[in-house]
Amino acid sequence: SARHPLRDRGRPRPRPPPRPPPRPVDAMATLKVLVPIAENSEEIETACITDTLVRAGAAVTVASVTGTEQVKMSRGLKIVADCLIDACVGQEWDAIVLPGGMPGAEHLRDSKVLEELLKKQSGEQKVIGAMCASPAVVFGTHGLLPSKAVCYPAPKFLEILGDRLADAPAVADGHVITGTGPGTSLQFALKIVEKLYCKDKAEELAKAMLTTTAP
């Protein structure tokens, strides 16, 4: 029956239902990470980046900049990419992360498509990462180095970083994350997990993989 306005006056109004709690990270939309590779990219670094981020729950796309999906890495391992880099244009990425290796880093540097993707990503303050030779060779060339960074400790790379050089296996400076080389690949990848998700997530993964996070 219809409610009478006079009779209802003074009655307590029903409380609105409680707001649902914030969704945990795992229930949110899956984060998308792009890992570009080239002929002679470093395979240990590539594997550690992709494996760790998949363990964190990210959807990782490996894209070749060399024109063929099968790519021969720096020590002869052949990796089949998910797609060519051209297919990644026009998509939104939560992170773009580069392995190192030489001359793989130079091939990544010379990809105009990747250059534009990186500059767009960085311009939007979204995560970009590079390790080994790539911070110097790729980020240094394209003006993407932050105020603090690391790279493989070869003189020609250290010279490019100059006063920006930090003392750590992996460094996050704003939205830019850099790492040193094959032996610190897991710490670099976990630093990206920490940036995309949270420190607890990175430490949880490190414990499961029997390693540690970078300071």
Side-chain angles (χ1 to χ4, degrees):
S1 60
R3 301 176 69 181
H4 195 287
L6 294 178
R7 292 176 187 166
D8 290 341
R9 186 177 296 169
R11 290 185 181 179
R13 294 185 177 183
R15 293 181 179 179
R19 292 183 179 181
R23 292 181 300 166
V25 170
D26 289 343
M28 294 181 181
T30 301
L31 300 183
K32 293 174 57 181
V33 178
L34 174 61
V35 180
I37 60 173
E39 291 284 326
N40 291 295
S41 287
E42 219 292 323
E43 47 264 73
I44 292 175
E45 296 165 5
T46 302
C48 287
I49 292 165
T50 57
D51 181 285
T52 304
L53 287 164
V54 168
R55 286 173 188 257
V60 178
T61 298
V62 178
S64 166
V65 307
T66 58
T68 58
E69 290 180 355
Q70 180 171 292
V71 178
K72 186 177 180 181
M73 309 298 276
S74 62
R75 302 305 185 272
L77 183 69
K78 295 181 178 65
I79 290 181
V80 179
D82 297 302
C83 62
L84 302 182
I85 194 68
D86 291 0
C88 302
V89 176
Q91 298 189 49
E92 293 297 319
W93 302 99
D94 295 289
I96 301 177
V97 187
L98 313 183
M102 285 291 281
E106 293 176 334
H107 298 321
L108 295 176
R109 175 199 64 197
D110 295 340
S111 168
K112 294 299 181 184
V113 174
L114 177 56
E115 178 184 348
E116 291 305 314
L117 286 170
L118 286 168
K119 288 181 176 179
K120 176 179 182 293
Q121 184 87 354
S122 186
E124 295 172 356
Q125 299 294 299
K126 295 168 75 174
V127 173
I128 59 172
M131 68 176 310
C132 194
S134 288
V137 174
V138 183
F139 286 5
T141 299
H142 299 321
L144 298 172
L145 282 173
S147 59
K148 293 190 301 180
V150 293
C151 65
Y152 189 79
K156 61 182 179 180
F157 303 145
L158 297 175
E159 184 179 347
I160 293 171
L161 264 62
D163 293 340
R164 296 181 175 91
L165 185 65
D167 182 17
V171 172
D173 186 357
H175 65 283
V176 184
I177 301 168
T178 52
T180 50
T184 60
S185 298
L186 288 176
Q187 282 66 46
F188 170 70
L190 289 165
K191 186 66 75 174
I192 296 167
V193 171
E194 182 179 332
K195 186 70 175 178
L196 291 178
Y197 295 90
C198 63
K199 188 173 182 63
D200 286 348
K201 183 78 168 177
E203 290 178 348
E204 174 190 329
L205 284 177
K207 183 177 180 181
M209 293 192 292
L210 308 182
T211 188
T212 58
T213 57

